[in-house]
Amino acid sequence: MRNLYQWQDHFQSWVACEANKRRDDHSRYSALNRSLRLFARQIEKEPGGKKLIANVLPGFVLGASNAAEPIGAHYSMAAAKKRLHSDYNRIRMLCDKGLIKNSAFERSDGTVSRMLLDAGRVDQIAYDLDRAVHHWEFWKAFRLPSYAIEQLICLEVIEGITDPAIVALRNEAMIPRGELDQLTHSIKRRARKSSPPSSAQSLRVLSHEFGGRLKPWGVIWKALINGDLPFWTRREGSSTQHILVQPEAWANFRAMPFDKRSFPDFPFKTFMNNCDLSEILNLQPKETIAIRQAGLIEPRVYKLTLRYEVEDVLHLAVRYVSTTELMRRSGQTKKIVIQRLEDGGVESSSCLWERAAAEAAVLPS
């Protein structure tokens, strides 16, 4: 009687066992597949049959021949594509790199007729993708560029999803949604409850003095959370626009760099988006249009978005400086800065100035 109540578990175990036996024999595996589908369609015609099959063989529910469900320990390529919301080429790339174990059945001419992918591995990748936060959500929450995510992971401020398969599919390191929520909570918890002094300024304004390099957001954020950099928040926000810091306290972190070479095994991305570009150059996002039109940098279009090579962005930042950065570093108004630039005969390209000549003309020696 006890076995009778456990027949569903026994049946699922039998299916998994039979599928595993036949995984290297395409014809036998296909035969099992067809038999199970025929069995499912017959049972579904009976009262309560559809619910029963949904519990026992969820991949064979009537009309779900393309469902992202495995047979036993494997997914077909079609099911894996649906499970991972990806295409054949990208999943095949993961298989070729050894990031997903698979069994391939070849035709007489050497071409692949069918691939079976390890279900556990596919499910793990799908789970990580489902819980991952995209860079635009990170930007919306903190007004931090996507490269800041990499720094925060490297400095162990947050836990990252650095699975090589995820990086290969998304071309960047990602974080679980729970980490974003925890980071928001930490900022709100650490913020001082008293009224901010009149001299306090937002992180966004203070960061404009960084130029010619990646801004050390990981170092700054770690100091905020650890209590090493006192701060207040405006309207209980958690973004760089809302976090207020005393300039004299900020000065201690001004020269702290973030060196990628200290993390040789981390999969740093090789491209940046438009928000990253404007943030590094201390420009408004709309101002990057003029930069592209002037031919200062050439983007690539990827899925209707613009991407820039990291090296191209950093090369541009080293060569040119924005008016905003010069204002912040000199403490002068925009009118005075531009007047000094014009008096010094500094050449401008779009909304940027030649860095060496501009610094010589505006900044005190």
Side-chain angles (χ1 to χ4, degrees), residues 133-141 273:
V133 173
H134 292 273
H135 62 78
W136 63 266
E137 295 180 80
F138 195 78
W139 169 264
K140 183 178 180 181
N273 57 48

Side-chain angles (χ1 to χ4, degrees), residues 12 53-61 64 67 69:
Q12 289 175 331
I53 293 301
N55 292 330
V56 180
L57 292 173
F60 296 97
V61 177
E69 297 287 348

Side-chain angles (χ1 to χ4, degrees), residues 307-325:
R307 285 185 172 183
Y308 307 87
E309 294 294 328
V310 171
E311 294 303 320
D312 292 344
V313 174
L314 293 180
H315 177 74
L316 186 65
V318 168
R319 186 178 176 187
Y320 292 98
V321 62
S322 68
T323 305
T324 301
E325 181 185 335

Side-chain angles (χ1 to χ4, degrees), residues 65-363:
S65 58
N66 292 322
E69 297 287 348
I71 302 178
H74 296 88
Y75 278 104
S76 67
M77 177 59 79
K81 289 192 297 183
K82 188 170 184 177
R83 185 78 175 91
L84 299 178
H85 306 288
S86 191
D87 56 40
Y88 173 84
N89 290 332
R90 297 183 74 80
I91 295 179
R92 182 62 190 269
M93 174 263 294
L94 297 182
C95 293
D96 292 343
K97 288 185 175 182
L99 299 176
I100 299 180
K101 293 181 179 180
N102 63 92
S103 299
F105 302 96
E106 296 184 353
R107 301 184 180 92
S108 57
D109 60 0
T111 60
V112 175
S113 64
R114 181 179 178 85
M115 291 186 70
L116 297 178
L117 286 69
D118 181 82
R121 179 63 173 136
V122 171
D123 285 339
Q124 180 60 51
I125 296 172
Y127 171 74
D128 284 340
L129 287 174
D130 290 342
R131 71 191 182 107
V133 173
H134 292 273
H135 62 78
W136 63 266
E137 295 180 80
F138 195 78
W139 169 264
K140 183 178 180 181
F142 304 113
R143 284 299 188 269
L144 287 176
S146 62
Y147 69 83
I149 297 176
E150 299 175 331
Q151 295 184 12
L152 291 170
I153 294 173
C154 287
L155 297 177
E156 299 182 350
V157 177
I158 56 177
E159 174 191 351
I161 302 174
T162 55
D163 185 327
I166 303 296
V167 175
L169 284 175
R170 293 291 185 263
N171 296 315
E172 59 183 328
M174 306 184 78
I175 63 172
R177 182 168 301 280
E179 290 294 307
L180 185 147
D181 296 337
Q182 181 60 40
L183 199 58
T184 302
H185 174 72
S186 297
I187 290 296
K188 292 182 177 180
R189 179 174 57 86
R190 275 291 185 183
R192 296 193 169 187
K193 307 306 179 186
S194 59
S195 298
S198 59
S199 59
Q201 299 182 43
S202 72
L203 280 183
R204 183 179 181 183
V205 170
L206 291 169
S207 72
H208 288 159
E209 66 187 56
F210 290 111
R213 62 188 174 102
L214 298 178
K215 299 178 182 180
W217 285 118
V219 176
I220 295 168
W221 226 254
K222 187 173 184 177
L224 293 174
I225 292 175
N226 290 345
D228 298 327
L229 180 58
F231 68 96
W232 296 259
T233 57
R234 182 188 295 140
R235 296 191 298 274
E236 297 187 357
S238 55
S239 75
T240 56
Q241 296 171 310
H242 297 102
I243 295 176
L244 305 176
V245 175
Q246 286 277 52
E248 54 268 27
W250 166 265
N252 297 327
F253 299 88
R254 184 180 300 160
M256 290 188 177
F258 176 84
D259 191 355
K260 288 184 176 182
R261 293 172 297 182
S262 301
F263 308 92
D265 298 326
F266 189 85
F268 291 102
K269 64 180 182 180
T270 59
F271 67 90
M272 290 184 169
N273 57 48
N274 207 59
C275 288
D276 296 337
L277 174 66
S278 61
E279 191 269 348
I280 288 178
L281 296 177
N282 295 306
L283 298 173
Q284 294 296 323
K286 63 181 180 181
E287 292 180 299
T288 61
I289 297 175
I291 294 175
R292 294 193 298 272
Q293 291 175 342
L296 296 181
I297 193 167
E298 188 69 28
R300 292 187 297 111
V301 179
Y302 177 78
K303 293 185 178 179
L304 302 180
T305 62
L306 297 178
R307 285 185 172 183
Y308 307 87
E309 294 294 328
V310 171
E311 294 303 320
D312 292 344
V313 174
L314 293 180
H315 177 74
L316 186 65
V318 168
R319 186 178 176 187
Y320 292 98
V321 62
S322 68
T323 305
T324 301
E325 181 185 335
L326 292 171
M327 289 168 55
R328 178 63 203 170
R329 293 172 61 188
S330 67
Q332 303 295 333
T333 64
K334 182 176 181 180
K335 182 177 180 180
I336 294 176
V337 167
I338 292 179
Q339 184 63 53
R340 289 183 178 179
L341 291 169
E342 292 176 348
D343 292 345
V346 182
E347 294 185 4
S348 67
S349 295
S350 181
C351 49
L352 298 174
W353 307 85
E354 289 283 349
R355 179 175 289 276
E359 291 177 340
V362 175
L363 302 180

